[in-house]
Amino acid sequence: AEGLKSNRVVKSISLPCNSISDEGYKLLAENLKANQALTSIDFSGCSFEDFIWEALAESLKTHQALKSIDLSNCDRINDEGCKALAEILKTNQVLASINLSGARVASRGYKALAEGVQGNQTLTSLDLSGNKVKGDGIETLIEMVQGNTSLFNLGSGWQHHKGGVDSIDQWAEKRFKEFVSLAEVKLQKNKVLRTVTIPMLLSSATYLGGAEIPVEMKEVIVGCL
């Protein structure tokens, strides 16, 4: 972990299903803050205590190189874990992908993630494949998708979690189907916006009132999209 402070060569850390102690993870998280070379971290299948999530959030909020975090199949990412990820998303300006597939995210976790995503313009993939979602979580995901313009991918294979009351389950099932349809359309629109429209705007001459819009102004416009 100490070697990460001065590292300028290693671009990726891969520790899937690792049995590192809590203190070891905390030390690793703290040393990530001083390292600006890493572009990807794989903690898939790992399990963290709340204080480790807090240390990770503190280290990665302003990281200038990290593009990808893999937390797939972690042993239930609890509310604190999702809050930590949300804190990272609120301030990190380079992170593009978070993999939470099979991580058993709970309803309050979806709410925290949505708050982080709404203020983020660089995250293109939030893989929630295989996670169960019910009432409140469905509404949260709908709001998140409607208010975001950068996400291309939310994964696949989401599962509607039934609560046992038929009338509520029927309503939730309907909303879940609406969410899946909405996500398919909105994510495709986001992809066109980010991969076609914005690059075209930045690379081509654009005029307003007969005068060409300077590059600096274009960047301001893009920042508002």
Side-chain angles (χ1 to χ4, degrees), residues 198-211:
I198 289 178
M200 187 182 297
L201 173 63
L202 293 175
S203 63
S204 305
T206 307
Y207 295 86
L208 180 64

Side-chain angles (χ1 to χ4, degrees), residues 1-2 4-5 22-32 55:
E2 288 289 342
L4 287 173
K5 284 185 177 181
D22 290 342
E23 286 303 319
Y25 276 125
K26 183 180 180 182
L27 182 61
L28 178 61
E30 291 171 347
N31 280 282
L32 288 173

Side-chain angles (χ1 to χ4, degrees), residues 88-186:
I88 294 171
L89 288 171
K90 287 176 183 178
T91 56
N92 186 289
Q93 298 299 310
V94 295
L95 188 61
S97 173
I98 298 178
N99 187 350
L100 296 176
S101 60
R104 296 192 292 167
V105 176
S107 292
R108 282 186 290 183
Y110 285 122
K111 183 175 181 180
L113 288 172
E115 290 175 356
V117 167
Q118 286 172 354
N120 183 283
Q121 295 183 343
T122 60
L123 192 73
T124 59
S125 177
L126 178 61
D127 193 338
L128 296 169
S129 300
N131 281 279
K132 292 183 178 181
V133 56
K134 57 183 180 179
D136 292 345
I138 296 171
E139 295 303 313
T140 296
L141 288 174
I142 289 174
E143 291 176 7
M144 181 183 76
V145 169
Q146 289 176 329
N148 179 271
T149 61
S150 66
L151 282 172
F152 304 171
N153 175 48
L154 281 174
S156 60
W158 309 296
Q159 302 174 45
H160 169 226
H161 178 68
K162 294 185 177 182
V165 180
D166 289 343
S167 60
I168 295 177
D169 280 343
Q170 289 173 5
W171 171 84
E173 184 69 30
K174 179 176 180 291
R175 290 297 281 164
F176 181 73
K177 290 179 180 178
E178 290 173 356
F179 157 66
V180 173
S181 298
L182 170 67
E184 183 178 353
V185 174
K186 186 63 165 63

Side-chain angles (χ1 to χ4, degrees), residues 39-51:
T39 58
S40 68
I41 297 174
D42 181 356
F43 286 147
S44 59
C46 296
S47 180
F48 302 140
E49 296 295 334
D50 291 352
F51 71 92

